[in-house]
Amino acid sequence: MPRWFRRRAGSAPARGRGADSGEALAHLTEFARTRRGVEGFVEPRTTVTETTLLLVADDGEWTRRRVPDAARAHEFANRLGIPSYDAQVVGYPQRMRAWNSRRAAAEKQAKSLGPTAPGEVG
């Protein structure tokens, strides 16, 4: 079996982890309350992943967590007062792609600078 297909030691099966997790809801709530202009994008269940709620802030920063189903994801967003959309219908905002590009460029630059102190791994 290919290495990438195996579960990591100690990891839970995908079904049981995250769908009803208070930890996931707390994370999404904290993200929404500490960022400006947050919108929710509900991603449908696929053969590979469960239903997820993607939150994207005004600057493009984003986070994603599993949710029980699309209806509850929209209800959750409504309770927080943030708009939510079906990602399959509207797609993803350009600001999210721009944020990913900026972050990747910053990481690449940091790696090219190498270690900052003697003996530090870069």
Side-chain angles (χ1 to χ4, degrees):
M1 182 180 301
R3 185 173 147 233
W4 54 266
F5 191 70
R6 290 185 221 138
R7 283 191 298 155
R8 290 184 301 225
S11 67
R15 279 237 178 248
R17 196 172 72 180
D20 290 314
S21 168
E23 190 176 304
L25 294 179
H27 172 80
L28 292 169
T29 300
E30 177 69 14
F31 184 90
R33 292 197 172 143
T34 58
R35 293 354 181 249
R36 294 173 20 131
V38 175
E39 294 179 308
F41 296 85
V42 180
E43 301 171 311
R45 181 176 185 232
T46 68
T47 56
V48 179
T49 62
E50 297 296 316
T51 303
T52 55
L53 177 58
L54 172 76
L55 297 182
V56 182
D58 193 38
D59 65 354
E61 182 183 4
W62 60 273
T63 191
R64 170 187 289 124
R65 292 294 184 272
R66 278 188 225 124
V67 293
D69 56 54
R72 287 195 248 177
H74 287 292
E75 289 171 13
F76 176 77
N78 288 340
R79 277 197 312 272
L80 292 179
I82 61 175
S84 61
Y85 312 98
D86 291 321
Q88 191 173 14
V89 175
V90 301
Y92 298 98
Q94 176 59 39
R95 68 183 184 273
M96 180 181 151
R97 289 187 287 277
W99 187 83
N100 287 340
S101 295
R102 288 189 308 270
R103 186 169 177 194
E107 287 177 11
K108 184 177 179 180
Q109 183 180 17
K111 284 182 182 179
S112 70
L113 294 176
T116 57
E120 187 176 316
V121 177

